[in-house]
Amino acid sequence: MTPAMSPTPAPLVQDGSYLEALGQRLNEAVSKALAQPSGPALPNELVGGRRPIPTGRGRALGALITSELQAARNNSQLYRAVLRALHKPLSVLLSNLSALLLPLLSSPAFVQSSAPTPQAAFQLDDMAIGTDIDNRWDGLKSVRAGLISLIDRVTAPLITGIKEELLPLVDALENPAKPRKVNDTAHPSITAIRTHAPLYGRALTRYASTNPSQALLASLLISIIWRALVALSHRPIAAQTSPQTLPADKGPYTPSTGTQSGAFSPKYFSLKRSSSRPPSPIITSTAATDAKAFYEILSHFPRPHSQVAHEAVDEAIVHMEALVTLLEIADDPFFGANKTAGEIATEIQVLTDDLPMLIALPVLLRMRYFGSILDSGLGTVAALLNIPEEVYRKDCLTGFGRADQCGPIVGQRLLDEIYTGPVTDPSECLVDWLEAHLGQDEH
């Protein structure tokens, strides 16, 4: 059973000694919130010689402050007096937290930590005390700003550390995985991300539990989604072999009637039995399967609570879902069956409405319905446009906003290259799609 939470302390009686008693009560509550827990420490629990502050202490302090403020809300003078009484204990809280955290924040174990850990000398959700307090009284603004700054100093390196671990794995999705004779068909990066995603998700839920850290969480999610879109959309489509199996060994010796040997020997019989197994399949992941797996992994990560950040992350996830669908179509040999070029272009147009043009382009330019232009020796969109790959990615593929700005420019340049450059036999589907995106349907 879940243990019952401590009841919210009853407000003090508002008599002549109320403010003095309130100040004493708040000072005691702050001291109790920062006190070390009793009992022996668990293995590996100590950080900088201190144990973690138990979860819930900050919330208990916040509940006490909230109850006193609500009790005085109908008396404006008393309400302002309570706000003034909060300044000293919250300033002490801020000073003590800063002193406790300074050694931790400067320690190599914290700065260079390669993975989130469940232990810390504080609880992040409890540090939020004071950030949501009524700040209409100027005297508390400095305290609130200090607490927000302190929380950012703690959460920013932790969230950034997770981001720095995920991005190389995401970038590696651009390179096709080597064929393997194993049951797991996922790309090695997908396997690694899937393994760590639950731990990262739980850690981010704690790290981003306060309003100041919501922007950091949104930045992390948008960054890894964008890099996944770039990597998976630029992965070359693997050549399909039929069947996808390892070269079979030479068949077993099978004597036939009238041969010189004329009889089964035990040697030949054993060879025939051992070779009766089917050849081991070559298992390799596709961009579509890896994109779908990455999309599903995103469910392990928390979403920002603030409306603007939440909507931005949701939009990025919609882009990822659209890429999954487009990559599945790119792998479908029957997608264009019994369809005209116009019908294919129209259907692709609908499917790519939720994708930035520069993400859809490399996929479409490898589809045979669009002429398989990039598979005909041109390599990449940058090569087709006669732009160095690193320059193209640095100038156009740094994020969603930059891609949206560069999309029409690259699209128009691509049309120009189709008619005057290396592409001498453009696909009608590609031209229709580009003109639709550039608003040139009537031309």
Side-chain angles (χ1 to χ4, degrees):
M1 295 179 62
T2 302
M5 296 183 63
S6 300
T8 302
L12 296 172
V13 178
Q14 297 175 356
D15 54 14
S17 61
Y18 168 70
L19 292 177
E20 180 180 354
L22 175 62
Q24 182 179 357
R25 188 177 191 183
L26 290 173
N27 290 333
E28 293 174 352
V30 168
S31 298
K32 182 178 179 181
L34 296 177
Q36 284 283 278
S38 59
L42 298 175
N44 302 322
E45 189 180 28
L46 293 177
V47 179
R50 294 184 60 85
R51 297 176 61 188
I53 295 175
T55 302
R57 284 192 179 179
R59 296 186 184 278
L61 177 58
L64 168 62
I65 295 173
T66 300
S67 66
E68 296 296 342
L69 287 172
Q70 290 180 344
R73 66 184 183 275
N74 294 326
N75 186 330
S76 59
Q77 292 183 348
L78 181 60
Y79 188 85
R80 288 193 294 270
V82 172
L83 288 175
R84 286 192 294 270
L86 287 172
H87 185 270
K88 180 179 178 180
L90 288 182
S91 297
V92 171
L93 174 69
L94 177 59
S95 299
N96 289 343
L97 280 176
S98 299
L100 292 173
L101 287 172
L102 183 60
L104 176 64
L105 294 176
S106 59
S107 68
F110 178 80
V111 177
Q112 302 174 4
S113 178
S114 60
T117 57
Q119 294 91 3
F122 54 88
Q123 298 294 343
L124 288 167
D125 54 347
D126 289 344
M127 287 182 63
I129 177 61
T131 61
D132 296 324
I133 286 179
D134 189 329
N135 61 349
R136 287 175 291 180
W137 186 56
D138 292 341
L140 288 182
K141 286 185 177 180
S142 60
V143 176
R144 183 176 186 273
L147 286 170
I148 290 176
S149 176
L150 186 61
I151 292 172
D152 285 344
R153 289 183 62 189
V154 175
T155 58
L158 295 172
I159 295 176
T160 301
I162 293 178
K163 180 178 177 180
E164 290 177 350
E165 286 196 354
L166 285 172
L167 287 180
L169 294 173
V170 173
D171 290 340
L173 291 173
E174 184 170 346
N175 303 315
K178 294 181 179 180
R180 295 162 295 160
K181 291 192 292 182
V182 294
N183 292 328
D184 185 6
T185 62
H187 192 284
S189 286
I190 291 294
T191 302
I193 297 172
R194 183 188 289 127
T195 300
H196 293 95
L199 175 61
Y200 286 150
R202 290 192 296 270
L204 288 171
T205 299
R206 295 182 61 197
Y207 300 163
S209 61
T210 59
N211 290 333
S213 57
Q214 292 295 294
L216 292 172
L217 174 62
S219 175
L220 180 148
L221 294 173
I222 292 173
S223 294
I224 64 172
I225 292 173
W226 172 253
R227 298 278 276 269
L229 290 172
V230 172
L232 291 164
S233 64
H234 285 75
R235 183 194 293 185
I237 297 177
Q240 298 295 324
T241 59
S242 180
Q244 288 190 341
T245 57
L246 289 173
D249 294 332
K250 292 182 178 180
Y253 173 80
T254 306
S256 58
T257 304
T259 61
Q260 292 182 354
S261 62
F264 269 7
S265 69
K267 176 182 178 181
Y268 293 135
F269 183 71
S270 63
L271 284 173
K272 185 174 183 179
R273 290 184 60 190
S274 64
S275 63
S276 61
R277 294 180 179 179
S280 300
I282 292 179
I283 300 177
T284 183
S285 62
T286 65
T289 57
D290 290 337
K292 184 175 182 180
F294 182 83
Y295 173 78
E296 293 171 349
I297 289 173
L298 292 174
S299 64
H300 289 285
F301 295 95
R303 301 289 187 270
H305 302 309
S306 60
Q307 182 177 356
V308 175
H310 191 92
E311 290 176 354
V313 172
D314 283 349
E315 184 177 357
I317 292 175
V318 169
H319 292 323
M320 191 73 236
E321 185 178 14
L323 180 62
V324 172
T325 303
L326 182 61
L327 289 171
E328 288 175 343
I329 286 176
D331 288 343
D332 183 2
F334 303 106
F335 169 69
N338 302 320
K339 296 177 183 176
T340 65
E343 290 172 341
I344 293 175
T346 299
E347 190 165 348
I348 292 293
Q349 178 70 35
V350 174
L351 292 172
T352 55
D353 278 345
D354 290 327
L355 272 178
M357 176 185 284
L358 300 188
I359 296 299
L361 260 179
V363 180
L364 298 179
L365 293 176
R366 289 185 173 91
M367 291 176 62
R368 63 185 182 89
Y369 308 111
F370 283 71
S372 299
I373 294 173
L374 294 187
D375 285 343
S376 61
L378 293 173
T380 64
V381 175
L384 177 61
L385 302 178
N386 197 25
I387 302 173
E389 184 70 24
E390 61 276 10
V391 173
Y392 171 69
R393 296 204 178 198
K394 182 179 179 180
D395 290 348
C396 301
L397 296 179
T398 54
F400 285 102
R402 186 61 179 166
D404 289 339
Q405 292 175 354
C406 295
I409 300 173
V410 173
Q412 185 59 57
R413 174 78 179 275
L414 181 57
L415 273 179
D416 296 340
E417 292 292 333
I418 284 176
Y419 292 119
T420 63
V423 183
T424 57
D425 186 20
S427 163
E428 184 179 344
C429 295
L430 174 60
V431 174
D432 289 346
W433 182 83
L434 283 171
E435 289 182 345
H437 264 269
L438 297 173
Q440 300 176 6
D441 304 73
E442 67 278 9
H443 295 164

